[in-house]
Structures are given as C-alpha cells and as structure tokens.
Amino acid sequence: MTDREFRVAYVPGVTPAKWARVWAERVPGVPLTLVPVPAAEAVECLRGGGADAGLVRLPVDREGLSVIPLYVETTVVVVPKDHLVTAADEVTVADLAADEVLHPMDDTLRWTTLPGLPAFTRPETTAEAIELVAAGAGLLLVPQSLARLYHRKDLTYRPVTDTPQSQVALAWPAEATTDQVEDFIGIVRGRTPNSSRGRAPAPKTEKTRKQPRTPAPGGSARRSAQTPRARKGRRPR
C-alpha cells in the first residue's frame, strides 16, 4: 500500500526528470506525479491545490508561498540559421537594434526596454513565436532551455550578454510544508539521503561501555603470593 501521490508542477523548459528519478529511489512508497503547466498559471496551480510543489520562473507573486531560488538561465536569441548573428559566438542587444524582435504574451523575461524593433504582431505563446522566427517574421529572445525545448533544424541561437535572465525556483504553499515537501527540497538541493529532509537526526544510541571486572576478594593477594613459587624451577632429584 502506498501513501498519497506527491504532485510537482513544472513550467516549460524546466526538466525535472532527474529529480523524479532520485525521488523514486529515496521515497519509493510515495508516487511522484509531474504536472506540466504554462508559466503564467503555475502560481494559481499551487494555490488551487493542483500540485504540492512547483518549479516556476521568477518573479512570481509570493503571497502565501515559500520560494527557494534554484538557478539562473542564460538568455539567447533564436534566429534562422542563415542570419548574420550566427557569425558571432555571442551578441549584445545593440547588435539586434535593426531587427524585428517578437515579444510573446507568455514572455518570462522582465524587460525595462524591449530590444530591437517592434514586430508586426504579438503572438500568444513562445511556441507560436518560434514558428514566426522560422517564417522570417522576426527574432526571439528566450531562456536557453526554451530554445532547446522548441528546437528546429532550420533555427539556431546565440547567447545575449546584456539582457534580463530567467531564474527558476521551487515554490509551494507556505502552510503546507509537509515531510514530502522537505524530501523534495533536499533532492533539488542535492543533499545526501541522510540530510535530505532537513529534520533533526535521531539521537545516536550510546554504546554501553565495558566495566572492568572486579577481582574476587583476595584474588590479587593470592596471585601475588603464588608468583614467587611460579618462578622457581623444580629441584633435581
């Protein structure tokens, strides 16, 4: 018999499979279910009880949530393979000034000033924006994991050095910090099995020390008295 499943929501580009494998080894009695959600819906999924924890992209509305930042992603520009950008190993925003840059509705980057020239349309999703890049309708800046997720043979990407970056974090309802949540925190942080839960370890049982034998009354005296005799050899007959 198993306990209730542990549900982990994750946004596009995040790959939780490695953590799920470790979970299966460490917590075999509790099935882990991965729940894919759009980045914009991840917080509501957690607040509405759709998942016990979630791998989200910051920033998010943290009200009622506990959040642990995990890692920061490189931002890249997705371009057709014959674009001039491909001649460089990395580029800056200034290098894209003459290009139309798509800005999808689900963009996870926090821009103060949008790069490049405005595109003729604003697609609903990053997936739609990728299709427009392939059609020659503009370029797209995204976290590197999304460029890999939507990879196409006719497109490539290059790092952009001076742009906002996307940060991935683990979030869960603050009032529901269960033992299973603690287990998962330990796994994503790379802790060893003995420390994964962050709970106080059970006290070690103190070994009973061997007590020295109490000699029998008069024992030491008898041994002392016998010692001289034991050292004498037999007299020849």
Side-chain angles (χ1 to χ4, degrees):
M1 183 176 179
T2 62
D3 294 333
R4 186 179 72 86
E5 66 179 349
F6 184 66
R7 300 158 301 163
V8 177
Y10 67 100
V11 298
V14 177
T15 53
K18 59 182 179 181
W19 295 322
R21 286 194 295 270
V22 176
W23 176 277
E25 295 170 359
R26 293 190 188 176
V27 196
V30 182
L32 186 146
T33 301
L34 297 175
V35 183
V37 294
E41 299 176 13
V43 169
E44 290 307 315
C45 176
L46 294 173
R47 289 182 178 146
D52 302 293
L55 296 161
V56 304
R57 290 189 185 278
L58 299 181
V60 295
D61 180 2
R62 299 194 181 199
E63 184 178 355
L65 298 179
S66 293
V67 178
I68 299 177
L70 298 178
Y71 59 88
V72 175
E73 286 196 67
T74 299
T75 299
V76 301
V77 58
V78 181
V79 300
K81 281 195 169 180
D82 58 356
H83 194 279
L84 292 175
V85 162
T86 60
D89 292 331
E90 59 184 27
V91 297
T92 65
V93 170
D95 295 326
L96 310 175
D99 289 286
E100 291 186 0
V101 177
L102 296 156
H103 185 216
M105 296 290 187
D106 64 352
D107 188 7
T108 59
L109 301 174
R110 303 285 286 189
W111 298 101
T112 52
T113 303
L114 291 173
L117 302 173
F120 76 100
T121 185
R122 190 172 183 192
E124 289 289 331
T125 66
T126 297
E128 292 176 13
I130 291 287
E131 296 297 324
L132 291 173
V133 174
L139 310 183
L140 177 65
L141 282 84
V142 292
Q144 185 170 336
S145 65
L146 290 180
R148 291 172 174 168
L149 176 65
Y150 298 118
H151 172 71
R152 290 174 51 117
K153 291 182 179 179
D154 53 349
L155 301 179
T156 188
Y157 60 84
R158 293 291 185 271
V160 186
T161 59
D162 53 351
T163 60
Q165 294 178 307
S166 175
Q167 187 170 26
V168 174
L170 175 65
W172 68 95
E175 295 182 354
T177 307
T178 64
D179 287 349
Q180 293 173 356
V181 169
E182 293 284 4
D183 283 331
F184 196 69
I185 292 171
I187 288 171
V188 299
R189 283 188 157 181
R191 294 175 185 161
T192 61
N194 292 335
S195 62
S196 64
R197 295 191 174 198
R199 305 177 205 153
K204 293 182 179 179
T205 304
E206 187 176 355
K207 293 182 179 179
T208 304
R209 294 182 180 178
K210 291 184 178 180
Q211 299 295 329
R213 288 184 178 179
T214 302
S220 297
R222 283 199 300 270
R223 283 196 295 273
S224 298
Q226 292 172 355
T227 301
R229 258 199 306 258
R231 289 178 179 172
K232 291 181 181 179
R234 293 183 178 179
R235 292 181 181 178
R237 291 180 181 179

